[in-house]
Amino acid sequence: MQKGRWLRFAALVLAVAAWPVAVASRAAIGDQAGSVVLSVELPDQPTAGARLFVQKNCVKCHSLGQPSPVGPDLGRMLFSGTMLDLAGAFWNHAPVMREKMRDMKIQPPTISSGEMADLAAFLTAYRYYLTEIGKPGNATAGARVFAVKGCVRCHDESSTNWFKVGPGLQRYRGRFSSIFLAQAMWNHGPEMARAMRASGVPWPQFSGQEMNDLLAYLQADSVGTNRERVYFEPGSPRRGRDLFASKQCRTCHSIAGIGGHGGPDLARPQELVRSVSEIAGLMWNHSQAMIAEFQRRGIPRVTFSGPEMADIIAYLYFLNYATVRGTPAHGKEIFDRNCGVCHSIGGGARVGPDLAALPGLDEPFAVLSAMWNHAAGMEQQMRARAQTWPRFAPGDSADLVAYLLAERAKHPTH
Ligand code: HEC
Ligand code: HEC
Ligand code: HEC
Ligand code: HEC
């Protein structure tokens, strides 16, 4: 991909800001025995990750959303797991990548801890971008949704809306993302609910791509409107986190065990790392139950304006990549099996350095970037011992890091 094009994309799209995820105490996560929440601090400047992707030459082998020159297309890939798993995948493929770099006379880049975090955030963000606008809805399916969900009974999608209860929706043509549709629907929810009760229309539920399809239908051709899709900022998780508090969401929802009660915990990677329009759909689906709960507790009605819904959804989406749980006990097994031959933690140097004695290995990405930076030396030693390159399954890098950090805390020699 060309640099200019890349940077333009980056400027357009990325607004993933830093949001530190609280370190939870074990007690707070009673449901997951023996696991700890690792503190993952995201970068302040998400576009830094885009720039690094170019500067560190990743772009020479990887494309984003197009056939890739050498390595896999990292834009179309579905990374399961957290940001740390992404860094783990990077480690897994290090020997092959380094070999290809040698072939192509590319100097293997040194990557600092902050840079590793930036790259992981960026690649995660890229997928966010893809799921939002890379998968355009289907207008024909959307027309069906509009009819089946009963919208058509109260709304006219054309400019004349004289005989219907609700306002015309033609202003949604060609201009909005499904997030803005969700925002408008949320804001008008109580009035719509009243109108629906009055005319016996059941509260519609959205699943999968339905909201995206509906939007494609509302946006579809109209006379005299600009059909060019308007790109939008996907929202800032950090602002979203602040809104999550100021809009009272925390009153009822916890995140990884921390926060309020009454609503479900929203740190659930398996279920909530979905497309943006699916999360928007979830908020709509549950809005009636939520509004009832707001009233019961005397919490004033909450509405969203400007980019607020986008920010909240960005937070809910990214939260699940940045809430990293690790199980030190499993990390110990991984360490003993793969690393212990050459490293101790607090027992002095062996073939490799004592991992308790090194400064700077105090947060998750620091460990993974140090491993990448020293991969050449490690590979050499492993080869000498006919040891295969350790590969991490999803969750393994978090477990290993959790163990390392816990052991380092016991040996404060560094
Ligand atoms: C010289 C070419 C080359 C460069 C430069 C390169 N990669 Fe790779 N990358 C590859 C190849 C080839 C693979 C697949 C390796 C394999 O099959 O084991 C890969 C795999 C990966 C994977 C794992 C994908 C998966 O399947 O899970 C990630 C993540 C990745 N690269 C990220 C990066 C990042 C970030 C950079 C820049 C710092 C980078 N790569 C630079 C060639 C390269
Ligand atoms: C029973 C009637 C009824 C049904 C069914 C209904 N709506 Fe509405 N809708 C309304 C009314 C009334 C308003 C205006 C509410 C207000 O004034 O706050 C509205 C407002 C809206 C708005 C905000 C419009 C604006 O001007 O910003 C959107 C978007 C919307 N509806 C979408 C939908 C969609 C999509 C469906 C189908 C899933 C739907 N509505 C189903 C009655 C209905
Ligand atoms: C007064 C309590 C309360 C507040 C405040 C509240 N919620 Fe909820 N929320 C709930 C309840 C209860 C449910 C489950 C509703 C149901 O079962 O349909 C829910 C469900 C959800 C869901 C769907 C989760 C799932 O598991 O599918 C999302 C997403 C959500 N809320 C987001 C938010 C956001 C964002 C805010 C802040 C704007 C918020 N909630 C504020 C009580 C609340
Ligand atoms: C075959 C021996 C060997 C194995 C197995 C091995 N390492 Fe290493 N490791 C080394 C050597 C040698 C170095 C120093 C390399 C250098 O500086 O070029 C090193 C360096 C490191 C560093 C960087 C230290 C620094 O200076 O910042 C980290 C972190 C590390 N290893 C972690 C691990 C982990 C985690 C595992 C298990 C998944 C592992 N290593 C497996 C030999 C090994």
Side-chain angles (χ1 to χ4, degrees):
M1 187 185 289
Q2 296 150 5
K3 195 167 177 168
R5 192 161 155 212
W6 173 253
L7 292 175
R8 195 180 64 213
F9 150 72
L12 260 176
V13 159
L14 286 167
V16 190
W19 80 105
V21 171
V23 187
S25 69
R26 260 176 187 216
I29 322 161
D31 57 324
Q32 307 217 353
S35 82
V36 292
V37 173
L38 298 171
S39 170
V40 171
E41 185 115 29
L42 285 180
D44 234 339
Q45 265 297 330
T47 44
R51 249 172 274 123
L52 285 170
F53 200 74
V54 176
Q55 276 166 14
K56 302 282 177 185
N57 285 321
C58 317
V59 75
K60 293 233 165 96
C61 299
H62 295 285
S63 67
L64 295 154
Q66 294 157 15
S68 233
V70 181
D73 172 357
L74 296 178
R76 293 269 164 213
M77 229 162 153
L78 292 185
F79 293 105
S80 57
T82 66
M83 283 175 50
L84 218 57
D85 287 320
L86 206 147
F90 186 62
W91 161 265
N92 287 346
H93 296 278
V96 176
M97 277 205 260
R98 297 179 59 88
E99 194 185 308
K100 288 270 191 297
M101 287 181 193
R102 261 193 310 276
D103 293 349
M104 294 171 70
K105 308 218 163 16
I106 296 171
Q107 176 71 25
T110 303
I111 300 177
S112 73
S113 159
E115 287 170 345
M116 185 67 94
D118 281 350
L119 281 167
F122 166 66
L123 290 171
T124 315
Y126 192 86
R127 190 178 145 206
Y128 178 79
Y129 164 83
L130 269 192
T131 51
E132 176 52 25
I133 60 171
K135 235 201 282 175
N138 175 330
T140 314
R144 226 174 301 125
V145 173
F146 196 76
V148 170
K149 307 281 176 191
C151 321
V152 72
R153 291 184 50 180
C154 302
H155 293 286
D156 203 325
E157 72 285 10
S158 77
S159 51
T160 53
N161 201 51
W162 301 334
F163 308 108
K164 306 231 168 159
V165 180
L169 299 179
Q170 67 284 354
R171 70 193 195 85
Y172 290 89
R173 287 232 160 106
R175 306 204 41 229
F176 292 96
S177 75
S178 55
I179 289 177
F180 284 93
L181 179 65
Q183 176 161 306
M185 287 170 67
W186 170 281
N187 287 345
H188 293 274
E191 288 77 13
M192 276 210 264
R194 227 172 286 132
M196 285 182 196
R197 271 194 301 275
S199 38
V201 180
W203 187 254
Q205 299 280 307
F206 291 92
S207 62
Q209 282 296 304
E210 285 178 345
M211 199 165 246
N212 216 13
D213 291 341
L214 178 63
L215 185 80
Y217 170 64
L218 294 178
Q219 286 178 330
D221 67 85
S222 66
V223 193
T225 43
N226 184 0
R227 294 196 57 191
E228 197 182 314
R229 185 132 191 183
V230 174
Y231 292 90
F232 78 112
E233 276 206 351
S236 149
R238 184 175 45 174
R239 283 200 308 261
R241 182 201 56 196
D242 296 343
L243 286 165
F244 197 75
S246 67
K247 299 279 181 188
Q248 308 286 344
C249 316
R250 281 198 87 94
T251 313
C252 301
H253 292 286
S254 56
I255 303 290
I258 300 168
H261 301 284
D265 192 302
L266 296 177
R268 295 185 345 258
Q270 305 319 319
E271 298 159 72
L272 287 174
V273 175
R274 306 186 193 182
S275 77
V276 170
S277 62
E278 275 178 274
I279 298 178
L282 274 183
M283 288 202 41
W284 165 265
N285 291 348
H286 294 280
S287 62
Q288 289 309 291
M290 280 202 259
I291 286 165
E293 191 64 22
F294 274 72
Q295 280 163 355
R296 203 176 64 77
R297 299 195 190 190
I299 300 172
R301 179 174 168 184
V302 166
T303 56
F304 298 100
S305 60
E308 286 180 343
M309 180 70 109
D311 291 342
I312 286 263
I313 289 179
Y315 172 64
L316 290 180
Y317 183 91
F318 283 100
L319 173 67
N320 287 294
Y321 286 104
T323 305
V324 182
R325 279 199 173 93
T327 308
H330 185 232
K332 181 180 186 330
E333 286 170 30
I334 296 169
F335 187 87
D336 290 347
R337 196 166 54 238
N338 299 297
C339 325
V341 210
C342 301
H343 293 286
S344 80
I345 311 175
R350 293 180 187 163
V351 179
D354 180 345
L355 296 181
L358 296 164
L361 293 182
D362 291 312
E363 45 95 18
F365 284 105
V367 176
L368 284 145
S369 64
M371 286 167 69
W372 164 265
N373 292 336
H374 294 270
M378 286 208 257
E379 201 182 357
Q380 210 177 5
Q381 293 298 334
M382 285 186 207
R383 229 183 251 136
R385 284 164 183 71
Q387 189 182 338
T388 51
W389 189 255
R391 282 176 165 254
F392 302 137
D396 283 358
S397 37
D399 294 346
L400 179 63
V401 165
Y403 171 65
L404 250 170
L405 297 188
E407 288 300 302
R408 279 171 63 84
K410 290 185 205 157
H411 302 278
T413 48
H414 48 282

